[in-house]
């Protein structure tokens, strides 16, 4: 499938009714997952052999995304995951416009210097706390990443944290049973918070230590991103909470 | 004065004169009718043919600010009311005593009673749904069970079998969540999202026919559509766009360029009769749902007097009557003789008892005259506040416009310039209430 320089199909995206062109907080949001304009969001310069990788595919490549990096920042994790999972489509979600553009350029650059590689990662500018169900359908993802999220230190701002009891309902919804959520932070209080939200949520269970040591993704959490590298340079501690989505226990 | 819109970083100070629409609720067997307008609960007991004053256990005013949501339980024994005073009151409908008063941290936008009458849920304007169990001690605080992040919940309904709770918000979403047996622990398992509305969702109604094991959901929204969903899977089955339906443009009192919204919807349990209220339309639109073909079709409009734009609808299936009310928290009588400035409402009823002789499945809706209304003048006096509400056309027209503006303000997020945003951030005050 080769990319064409297309304008995204506007009618499937919600448009702000009264846009302020001076504001940078506007981005198209799909009404529902089947409306995601894949050509717009995944800019493929090279052929990605969908037919052989995904013979059962519904035709909408967005269905095939399996990993989501929520708050992907400058794309360090996406770039590290890409060669480890060459047959998996991975999407980064980032709110900041300029940062998203940076990631796009970075990916294009990598594709140019490494032909045939880095075709499976992309980034979309969006607010994942509001719009995750607009992008992913039920039980779609097998991994979700929350690396060094904003701590929102003040108590009145705790409800803005990306991991919260209410939002975990939505993350569980878009994840497959058995899918894994990876969180890491260098702020101990936030680490405790995230772990406690996950621990208290009936649809998540901790992933065992032995499984964590053998999971190739785990060391990327602290090494792959700029924040992770900065923490390591400063000799800081990191706090991880890795949980698996499980079925409700209610009979 | 700035309108208070609910953004995540903002104070909850909404303009105190935002017009709140009048609401109507009827007991399932039509033994009593309640109109909520402003902070008043106006109750008429049809069985006893008398007006009723609800009894608050504290003897104080029942609500001290506009009531935003009311609901009977499905067996009719309980009634819940809640609104801008951040209080939810639960009443027993035989004696109209208040059996429980629950405090909310924020203003309440929706309230609902579970099918087994064990739980009362309410949604606040920050998008969180809270629950109390009627079996527990009266002083027990409500606990949160789910949240729509940073969005106002506009409608909340339990599925007829009680297994699910549907919540709709102003961010175009409908969420269907499994309602667990031990609901106090939270409703974490999302069954589906019904996505498809291209503007805020304003109302929900469940539908299921006798012979179908599947259930369906109807929704109406700011995109002027009524949609039919299979709520188990979240699939959109049918969209009925109302903007081109017979008569709606001519009858509308709103300029063509302005957006109109569906404001209320109610359906007979088998979906054969769906009534829809639309902003600017002085009447009710009737649709019909074919649950086998999974389609919606427009049946007809029932027009009422000019300026009567219903703010709330309720269908009493057992009596085949649709009760409608028009009113607002700022709609008072312009009668100078009347020193007691009561809030006015207008109640109109459509009867569906007459079946079309040619087609037994379709009904001939008949708008009842005041003399034909159950409970007669007594009921109208109690619920409307006067008997000549029909003569107050100008007041009703102004109220309709005010209600429409306040709905738009609530549902459409305003865009501010950068400087104004900085100013708003500086002045915000969203400290947690010390409990």
């Amino acid at each position: 499938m080769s990319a064409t320089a297309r304008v995204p199909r506007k009618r499937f995206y919600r448009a702000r009714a009264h846009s302020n062109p001076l504001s940078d907080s506007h981005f198209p949001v799909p009404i529902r997952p089947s409306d995601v304009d894949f050509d717009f969001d995944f800019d493929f310069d090279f052929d990605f052999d969908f037919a052989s990788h995904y013979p059962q595919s519904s035709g909408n490549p967005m269905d095939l995304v399996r990993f989501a990096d929520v708050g992907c920042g400058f794309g360090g994790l996406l770039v590290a995951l890409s060669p480890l999972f060459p047959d998996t489509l991975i999407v980064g979600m980032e709110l900041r416009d300029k940062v998203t553009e940076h990631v796009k350029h970075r990916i294009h650059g990598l594709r140019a210097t490494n032909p045939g590689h880095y075709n499976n990662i992309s980034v979309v500018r969006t607010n994942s706390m509001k719009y995750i169900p607009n992008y992913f359908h039920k039980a779609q993802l097998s991994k979700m990443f929350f690396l060094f999220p904003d701590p929102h230190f003040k108590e009145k701002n705790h409800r803005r944290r990306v991991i919260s009891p209410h939002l975990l309902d939505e993350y569980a919804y878009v994840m497959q049973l058995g899918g894994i959520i990876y969180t890491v932070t260098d702020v101990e209080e936030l680490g405790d918070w995230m772990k406690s939200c996950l621990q208290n949520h009936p649809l998540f269970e901790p992933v065992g230590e032995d499984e964590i040591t053998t999971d190739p993704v785990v060391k990327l959490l602290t090494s792959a991103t700029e924040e992770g590298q900065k923490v390591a340079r400063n000799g800081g501690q990191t706090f991880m909470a890795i949980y698996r989505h499980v079925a409700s226990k209610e009979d | 004065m700035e309108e208070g819109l609910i953004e995540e970083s903002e104070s909850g100070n909404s303009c105190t004169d935002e017009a709140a629409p009048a609401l109507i609720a009827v007991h399932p067997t039509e033994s009593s009718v309640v109109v909520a307008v402003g902070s008043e609960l106006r109750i008429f007991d049809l069985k006893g043919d008398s007006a009723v004053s609800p009894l608050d256990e504290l003897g104080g005013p029942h609500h001290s600010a506009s009531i935003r949501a009311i609901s009977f339980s499905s067996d009719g024994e309980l009634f819940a009311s809640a609104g801008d005073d951040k209080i939810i009151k639960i009443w027993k409908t035989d004696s109209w005593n208040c059996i429980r008063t629950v405090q909310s941290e924020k203003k309440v936008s929706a309230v609902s009673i579970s099918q087994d009458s064990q739980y009362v849920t309410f949604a606040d304007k920050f998008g969180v749904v809270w629950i109390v169990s009627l079996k527990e001690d009266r002083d027990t605080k409500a606990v949160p069970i789910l949240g729509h992040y940073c969005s106002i919940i506009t409608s909340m309904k339990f599925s007829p079998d009680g297994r699910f709770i549907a919540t709709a918000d102003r961010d175009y979403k409908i969420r269907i969540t499994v309602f667990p047996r031990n609901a106090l622990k939270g409703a974490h398992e999302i069954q589906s999202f019904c996505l498809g509305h291209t503007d805020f969702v304003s109302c929900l109604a469940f539908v299921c026919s006798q012979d179908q094991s599947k259930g369906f959901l109807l929704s109406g929204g700011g995109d002027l559509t009524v949609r039919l969903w299979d709520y188990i899977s979240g699939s959109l089955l049918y969209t009925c766009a109302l903007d081109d339906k017979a008569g709606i443009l001519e009858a509308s009192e709103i300029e063509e360029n302005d957006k109109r919204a569906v404001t209320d919807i109610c359906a007979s349990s088998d979906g054969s009769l769906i009534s829809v209220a639309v902003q600017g339309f002085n009447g009710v639109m009737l649709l019909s749902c074919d649950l086998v073909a999974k389609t919606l079709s427009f049946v007809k409009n029932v027009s009422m007097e000019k300026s009567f734009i219903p703010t709330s609808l309720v269908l009493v299936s057992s009596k085949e009557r649709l009760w409608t009310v028009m009113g607002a928290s700022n709609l008072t009588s312009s009668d100078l003789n009347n020193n007691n400035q009561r809030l006015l409402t207008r109640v109109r009823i459509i009867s569906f008892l007459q079946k079309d002789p040619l087609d037994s499945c379709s009904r001939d809706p008949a708008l009842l005259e005041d003399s034909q209304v159950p409970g007669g003048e007594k009921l109208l006096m109690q619920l409307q506040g006067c008997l000549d509400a029909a003569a107050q056309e100008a007041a009703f027209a102004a109220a309709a416009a005010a209600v429409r503006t306040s709905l738009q303000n609530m549902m459409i997020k305003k865009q501010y310039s950068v400087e104004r945003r900085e100013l708003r951030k500086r002045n915000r005050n969203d400290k947690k209430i010390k409990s």
Side-chain angles (χ1 to χ4, degrees):
Chain A
M1 175 178 142
S2 57
T4 49
R6 269 174 61 191
V7 174
R9 289 167 295 173
K10 270 289 165 66
R11 66 193 169 94
F12 293 131
Y13 283 72
R14 33 176 288 182
R16 298 274 179 186
H18 308 285
S19 296
N20 178 355
L22 301 173
S23 166
D24 62 350
S25 61
H26 300 290
F27 42 85
V29 176
I31 294 291
R32 65 201 127 182
S34 51
D35 295 336
V36 174
D37 189 325
F38 193 82
D39 285 343
F40 170 67
D41 293 321
F42 273 80
D43 192 53
F44 280 79
D45 296 310
F46 304 94
D47 288 312
F48 185 91
D49 192 357
F50 278 93
S52 71
H53 280 102
Y54 301 103
Q56 321 279 275
S57 109
S58 64
N60 181 352
M62 194 63 190
D63 286 344
L64 304 170
V65 170
R66 289 290 172 265
F67 296 178
D69 182 2
V70 179
C72 67
F74 294 93
L77 181 66
L78 293 176
V79 167
L81 285 173
S82 175
L84 286 185
F85 299 92
D87 297 334
T88 305
L89 291 188
I90 308 168
V91 127
M93 306 176 98
E94 171 56 51
L95 186 59
R96 295 166 289 179
D97 189 20
K98 297 206 168 54
V99 176
T100 317
E101 287 309 303
H102 170 97
V103 179
K104 284 191 181 155
H105 292 141
R106 186 176 178 186
I107 296 175
H108 289 159
L110 286 167
R111 288 179 188 158
T113 52
N114 301 273
H117 295 279
Y118 299 104
N119 291 335
N120 58 338
I121 55 171
S122 187
V123 65
V124 66
R125 186 183 165 224
T126 192
N127 181 343
S128 29
M129 291 170 75
K130 292 192 81 145
Y131 303 124
I132 284 241
N134 295 68
Y135 286 94
F136 305 115
H137 57 70
K138 190 171 187 177
Q140 177 172 342
L141 302 176
S142 57
K143 292 193 197 295
M144 280 183 92
F145 298 92
F146 297 82
L147 269 49
F148 302 95
D150 190 331
H152 292 295
F153 291 107
K154 292 186 192 174
E155 204 191 311
K156 67 172 176 161
N157 290 337
H158 284 182
R159 57 193 156 88
R160 297 201 224 169
R161 289 177 163 170
V162 71
I163 297 286
S164 75
H166 295 319
L167 286 171
L168 282 176
D169 294 353
E170 296 196 6
Y171 305 149
Y173 170 80
V174 297
M175 293 187 73
Q176 300 167 356
L177 282 178
I180 301 178
I181 186 169
Y182 300 82
T183 72
V184 70
T185 178
D186 58 328
V187 177
E188 185 169 4
E189 191 265 315
L190 180 65
D192 290 340
W193 165 279
M194 296 200 285
K195 179 174 260 176
S196 126
C197 289
L198 283 161
Q199 188 61 31
N200 292 332
H201 199 283
L203 300 180
F204 288 99
E205 264 180 11
V207 170
E209 274 304 313
D210 35 340
E211 201 183 324
I212 290 180
T213 48
T214 54
D215 186 340
V217 154
V218 172
K219 64 177 183 297
L220 298 181
L221 301 183
T222 48
S223 66
T225 62
E226 287 72 14
E227 296 79 47
Q229 287 156 11
K230 185 168 61 162
V231 170
R233 274 200 304 277
N234 296 339
Q237 230 188 323
T238 55
F239 307 91
M240 281 194 233
I242 301 173
Y243 278 69
R244 163 171 283 120
H245 174 222
V246 297
S248 165
K249 297 265 183 329
E250 177 155 305
D251 44 72
Chain B
M1 180 175 170
E2 292 183 326
E3 303 287 16
L5 290 170
I6 307 305
E7 291 175 45
E8 61 173 283
S9 56
E10 196 179 298
S11 77
N13 279 337
S14 75
C15 187
T16 46
D17 21 68
E18 288 253 358
L23 305 169
I24 189 166
V26 182
H27 187 281
T29 64
E30 220 182 59
S31 61
S32 52
V33 181
V34 181
V35 162
V37 58
S39 58
E40 290 173 51
L41 276 176
R42 297 180 182 170
I43 307 171
F44 194 84
D45 176 349
L46 274 167
K47 248 173 48 182
D49 194 36
S50 61
V52 175
S53 284
L55 295 170
D56 187 308
E57 71 262 18
L58 302 169
H62 320 124
H63 281 281
S64 52
S66 292
I67 298 173
R68 293 286 184 170
I70 54 176
S71 180
F72 275 95
S73 59
S74 46
D75 62 7
E77 294 192 10
L78 298 172
F79 179 82
S81 59
D84 288 351
D85 57 358
K86 305 183 189 173
I87 285 179
I88 300 88
K89 286 193 167 293
I90 302 158
W91 313 83
K92 274 220 103 223
T93 57
D94 47 10
S95 56
W96 286 102
N97 278 333
C98 174
I99 57 168
R100 184 95 179 254
T101 300
V102 183
Q103 185 67 44
S104 164
E105 287 177 18
K106 309 282 179 205
K107 293 183 184 179
V108 180
S109 59
V111 78
S112 195
I113 303 175
S114 65
Q115 297 295 1
D116 58 8
S117 295
Q118 195 191 332
Y119 297 102
V120 174
T121 56
F122 59 94
D124 68 23
K125 286 176 94 174
F126 268 51
V128 180
V129 175
W130 302 76
I131 196 168
V132 288
S133 164
L134 296 174
K135 292 209 169 105
E136 64 193 357
D137 190 39
R138 323 162 57 125
D139 295 327
T140 320
K141 290 221 196 105
V143 292
I145 57 166
L146 65 92
H148 283 229
Y149 187 69
C150 274
S151 199
I152 296 176
I153 288 177
T154 52
S155 182
M156 176 169 63
K157 294 267 152 73
F158 281 94
S159 64
D161 59 8
R163 284 171 60 210
F164 301 101
I165 181 168
T167 40
D169 68 24
R170 76 160 183 190
D171 279 292
Y172 318 6
K173 291 208 182 78
I174 300 166
R175 169 175 156 168
I176 310 290
T177 315
V178 172
F179 190 70
R181 207 160 311 152
N182 189 356
L184 294 175
K185 294 218 165 102
H188 296 285
E189 192 184 335
I190 301 176
Q191 174 64 29
S192 71
F193 278 97
C194 296
L195 304 178
H197 273 287
T198 55
D199 208 322
F200 61 86
V201 183
S202 54
C203 46
L204 297 172
F206 275 96
V207 163
C208 65
S209 69
Q210 307 263 336
D211 47 349
Q212 298 248 349
S213 53
K214 283 175 72 128
F216 300 90
L217 181 66
L218 290 165
S219 63
D223 54 5
L224 206 53
T225 64
V226 169
R227 295 177 192 253
L228 178 68
W229 311 86
D230 164 4
Y231 62 82
I232 300 288
S233 63
S235 350
L236 173 60
L237 299 173
Y238 202 86
T239 301
C240 185
L242 300 181
D243 50 2
D244 53 355
K245 293 305 176 276
I248 191 147
L249 284 178
E250 302 101 72
S252 172
E253 299 184 1
I254 301 173
E255 294 81 50
E256 266 184 56
N257 292 334
D258 277 351
K259 289 175 60 160
R260 288 183 300 280
V262 171
T263 51
D264 205 356
I265 187 168
C266 57
S268 58
S269 50
D270 64 357
S272 59
L273 185 67
I274 301 165
S275 311
V276 180
V278 175
Q279 278 173 341
F281 178 55
N282 57 320
V284 160
M285 298 187 79
L286 298 179
L287 307 179
S288 176
C289 180
D290 180 338
L291 292 177
V292 176
K294 299 181 185 159
T295 57
L296 286 171
S297 49
F298 173 77
V299 172
K300 57 159 49 151
N301 288 336
V302 177
S303 293
M304 302 176 179
E305 63 249 32
K306 200 167 181 294
S307 294
F308 180 83
I309 298 168
T311 48
S312 176
L313 310 174
V314 64
L315 185 66
V316 183
S317 296
S318 52
K319 300 281 196 255
E320 307 222 350
R321 276 195 274 263
L322 178 76
W323 290 69
T324 74
V325 71
M326 152 100 207
S329 54
N330 62 351
L331 172 56
T332 51
S333 167
S334 47
D335 179 359
L336 295 168
N337 290 335
N338 188 1
N339 291 326
N340 179 14
Q341 284 279 303
R342 281 207 85 188
L343 289 176
L344 290 188
T345 72
R346 179 87 175 104
V347 174
R348 297 300 315 259
I349 301 169
I350 298 174
S351 166
F352 296 104
L353 283 172
Q354 290 277 68
K355 297 235 191 307
D356 188 324
L358 298 172
D359 176 0
S360 61
C361 290
S362 92
R363 331 292 180 93
D364 226 355
L367 187 58
L368 297 183
E369 297 301 323
D370 283 357
S371 50
Q372 301 168 296
V373 162
E377 276 193 5
K378 268 193 187 175
L379 174 137
L380 290 175
M381 189 66 213
Q382 168 67 351
L383 300 182
Q384 292 183 167
C386 67
L387 290 175
D388 63 344
Q392 307 275 354
E393 209 181 278
F396 278 105
V403 164
R404 188 165 153 267
T405 305
S406 82
L407 181 66
Q408 298 286 68
N409 287 344
M410 239 206 302
M411 294 296 115
I412 314 284
K413 224 170 138 157
K414 269 203 195 138
Q415 299 301 328
Y416 297 99
S417 67
V418 179
E419 310 81 47
R420 191 126 176 255
R421 258 188 276 149
E422 293 307 310
L423 185 67
R424 286 168 65 84
K425 274 192 204 170
R426 245 177 280 143
N427 293 338
R428 76 177 176 236
N429 166 27
D430 51 346
K431 293 192 175 42
K432 234 177 127 135
I433 295 174
K434 296 270 186 272
S435 42

